[in-house]
Amino acid sequence: MASASDFPASFYGEPGVLGLLANGISAFLVLLQNFHGARTGIPAEGVENILAGVHLILIGGVCQLVAGLLSFRKYDHLSGTSFVGYAALWGSYGATRIFLGANQQSPNLFNESTMINSTFQNLLTNTSVNNTDIPMYIKESAIAGLVPYILLSFLLAFCSATVNYIMPFVFGAITLTLIFEAVGLVGGWALVVSGILELLILLFAIYGSSALLIKGLAQRYVLKGFGNPLFNVLLLGTTNASSSQSLGQEKKKNTKYAEPMALGFFCDTVSPFIFAFYAFGYFPSIPVAAIWISINSAAQLLSSYYAYLRQDCYHATKFGLHCVFWLVKTWEEFVVTETIGRTEAGEVRHAMVGNWFFLSAALVFCVASLNKDTLELVHNSFFVLVTISTISQIPIDRYYIFFGVTCSLFTLLSFYGTFARLINTIAEKSLIPVGPQPVSTESLQKYLSYLKRSKLDEPEDKGAQLPDALFYLCNGVAALSAIHSSQSGLAFFDLTVPWVLIPGAIIQAYVSRLQVLGGQRFGSVIPSFYVAIWATWSWFRFAGHRLQISTESANGFAAGAIAFLVINAFLILVATYGNLVLLALTTVMEVIIVCFLLSTFRRLPYQLEVAMLAIFAIICLYGMLASLVNAIFSKTLIPVGPSLIKDKKKKKSETTYPCFIAKSRETSGLLKIAKLLENNGVCGIPTDTVYALAASCKNPSAIEKIYSIKDRPAEKPICICISSVEQLVAAKPPFSPLLWEFMRNVYPGGISCIVAKGDWLLKLGVGPAYDRVGTRESIMIRVPDHTATAHLCEFTGPLAITSANPSGEADSTHHDMVINRLGHKIEGVLCDGESNEVIASTVVNCLKIDEGTISILREGCVPALKVRQIFDRVKSNML
């Protein structure tokens, strides 16, 4: 049975209800404060702001985050991006309110509270407020955070107009509200206007959530607003043929989860925008802005996570890299502004070299994106500029100017990327120009494969595991950042803490979680152990002077280092089962731990440690390059070396199966299954969704056997499966041009169409099974997007199929499930491993398609919204 984490899209109801209500209630909370201040002339202060901030975080942040995560699992690109983005917004704004309330003990902060929450008359009585005396620059930081969300909220409102006409009003009202909230930080009169707009958000959200809730209960749209867009997304442009091919290839990779690319670009718009304000001196203190960037980076880590779930190594690693970079730079600047100051930071930064690994990693992504679209390559190139601008050896007087300029350029490109990715994923084609592939996939593979001298270098040609590149990235940044000399001062140690702790411990804990999800043997052991090493390293080596570690405590760290040595020795043995890169990594780490042990006794050989950390970083850079490239192409192009100890698989005694077992990749297996079907047999076969039971339409008695095998109620019809639309064309059914065009757009794929029965079924080859399939008036037709199933149908003719599970139980998503549950009742199983989906196809009733309507009888692996978008596009093209 499928696990809870693999629930299909239709199991998640309508997360839009929760998302819209979270926006409405959050707006209502701010509305109450704004109207209360306007009516009484008494601004919210202290505990009131703290409580409001907590509620905004819990309702607008956490609740809406849940809605966004469920929307991604429901394959809803727009809602997933919007709700996660707004969750980051409300969470950040709530944190700002908490900062404001917690710091309203001094008169100056009371005056700032008055500026933010009072009416225009109150502002006139406080004209002597000295804004430069406000600690942490809460007002300026909030403005810098609100402005990018205003731009992105407008973008979301525009994009949502291509889906329905409720969300544009909600998102549009949020956009206007954010504008006046930002203006209200300067002039209190704007907060009254903001309150009126927040009331509109609440009303729109209540109506929209009611419409979705009723739709979920009634399984049809009762209240207007959803199901029809304000304007057709196809009006935005024409399909770019050179880009649509790569987009279409991406679609076939995974349809269980919505595409997170727009969310990743969304987050790459917010963080550099705030940094640009900071770099140009709009606010010289970053604590509040650090919260905004950190929450936004957490949202970007979610985009990495969903890219991982989609088996997309490239975006999982890219967004993970960007998340690490923004977090490290944020908390480095936090240390600068709150601890040591820019002047001293400019003196000690020259000894820091960790940013060179970010630069190298950014260059690796430029290479890896050569076979992507031009937008991706340009985006990666601009990120290279951002990393160059933060190189520590740049003089301090030019450092921030260069950084601000590159962040501004990167923000503009990321904003365009958000728009392009969002519209193109909604339209399922490349409408917004993203450019062609700079280098073809075949050419790039050819160039990269030059590094692989011999096929004997690699025992198995399976590429790499998805999180491996991110694992090497985190360790490489931490190792290179940890390099220092005996003359390094305390200020250097303060600056180095975020460089080692964030990638080495915090983000690597996320990598460890991904390894656990992958289920690989020993997969999570090494990253989990390295989390402990880098956390301890940061604690003792760089934060020790702050923690005032005593001699007795140092002895405790020495004992811990000895334990690390023993555990890492075991990991070296584990690495011998992996590859040479991993073995070299763990071996060098053993020497690094020895250096750590010596440092607890104050006998550290600095030159040896610097050499080992540098070698460790170089290994990580090569490992990242190899893992990223090999995972992207699902083959070993850049060698990582064979395992030194072969995993000798014990010869298993031949397992006795209850039925015949055949492999889908072997022609002989297909022929054997076809013969069993011809001989009145029932077999389990793979499809593009879940496994199915199949019987030949030439054998009506075999179709009847399916009912008894499954304990299927007699009133439930069975559909037919064919190899292609061309096979259907040859039967010459009397379908309308609209139906033909719709079928060509959905076949092959995870959609089943119900059409009227007729004599054409006899020409198709259904023959004696005419009365055994479908109902008296209609028949459901499947054309799976699965090579083995298509070839099988070519051998046997049309097959009668239904899901391979006992009636009322979960679908079978692996051939082992079919064998274990039904193997003793059927003649054979065509084995194809794990299925592409965890739920059956979406069933579309096309009986009234000539009247311009279709109905969704069952929402399966293809969301109903996507089916309707395809139908609307087909209808518009037919006009």
Side-chain angles (χ1 to χ4, degrees), residues 758-771:
D759 293 340
W760 57 272
L761 283 170
L762 302 178
K763 299 178 183 178
L764 186 64
V766 173
Y770 185 90
D771 296 327

Side-chain angles (χ1 to χ4, degrees), residues 373-429:
D373 53 55
T374 304
L375 174 62
E376 198 66 42
L377 178 60
V378 174
H379 192 252
N380 289 332
S381 300
F382 272 69
F383 186 72
V384 170
L385 288 178
V386 173
T387 58
I388 292 175
S389 70
T390 57
I391 290 176
S392 303
Q393 287 69 38
I394 298 177
I396 194 68
D397 56 335
R398 302 173 187 174
Y399 178 92
Y400 287 103
I401 296 176
F402 190 14
F403 185 39
V405 171
T406 56
C407 282
S408 301
L409 296 174
F410 191 70
T411 296
L412 292 175
L413 187 60
S414 298
F415 183 77
Y416 179 81
T418 305
F419 176 61
R421 296 302 185 213
L422 202 53
I423 288 295
N424 291 343
T425 52
I426 292 173
E428 300 286 345
K429 58 175 64 179

Side-chain angles (χ1 to χ4, degrees), residues 63-266:
C63 290
Q64 193 161 201
L65 177 63
V66 173
L69 298 181
L70 294 180
S71 295
F72 271 114
R73 289 178 176 264
K74 197 173 171 61
Y75 199 72
D76 188 343
H77 315 290
L78 176 65
S79 296
T81 302
S82 302
F83 292 148
V84 174
Y86 283 131
L89 166 65
W90 289 117
S92 302
Y93 200 55
T96 303
R97 293 268 180 170
I98 293 175
F99 266 97
L100 183 63
N103 289 273
Q104 283 179 324
Q105 303 300 322
S106 67
N108 285 334
L109 283 169
F110 178 82
N111 288 337
E112 186 192 11
S113 172
T114 304
M115 289 183 65
I116 296 179
N117 295 287
S118 67
T119 61
F120 180 69
Q121 288 79 7
N122 290 331
L123 285 174
L124 293 179
T125 63
N126 289 281
T127 53
S128 61
V129 172
N130 183 3
N131 293 333
T132 59
D133 291 336
I134 297 173
M136 295 190 295
Y137 295 85
I138 299 176
K139 174 181 63 117
E140 291 83 356
S141 300
I143 292 176
L146 286 173
V147 173
Y149 279 107
I150 290 171
L151 299 175
L152 290 166
S153 184
F154 171 77
L155 184 63
L156 293 175
F158 177 81
C159 293
S160 63
T162 66
V163 177
N164 56 67
Y165 54 88
I166 291 296
M167 293 175 74
F169 286 102
V170 177
F171 296 163
I174 292 177
T175 304
L176 294 175
T177 298
L178 295 179
I179 292 174
F180 285 98
E181 284 287 331
V183 175
L185 295 171
V186 180
W189 62 269
L191 296 179
V192 179
V193 182
S194 176
I196 297 173
L197 292 169
E198 285 154 359
L199 180 60
L200 292 178
I201 295 174
L202 177 63
L203 296 176
F204 290 142
I206 290 175
Y207 178 83
S209 58
S210 299
L212 286 176
L213 185 61
I214 294 174
K215 181 258 181 184
L217 296 174
Q219 291 298 305
R220 63 187 180 89
Y221 292 109
V222 178
L223 298 179
K224 294 183 178 181
F226 290 92
N228 296 306
L230 277 177
F231 66 90
N232 195 322
V233 68
L234 297 176
L235 298 177
L236 291 176
T238 57
T239 303
N240 188 322
S242 60
S243 300
S244 59
Q245 181 180 2
S246 60
L247 183 67
Q249 291 171 350
E250 172 66 25
K251 296 293 178 188
K252 294 181 180 180
K253 292 177 78 173
N254 193 311
T255 57
K256 295 178 185 177
Y257 308 99
E259 296 179 12
M261 284 76 86
L263 178 60
F265 277 88
F266 182 107

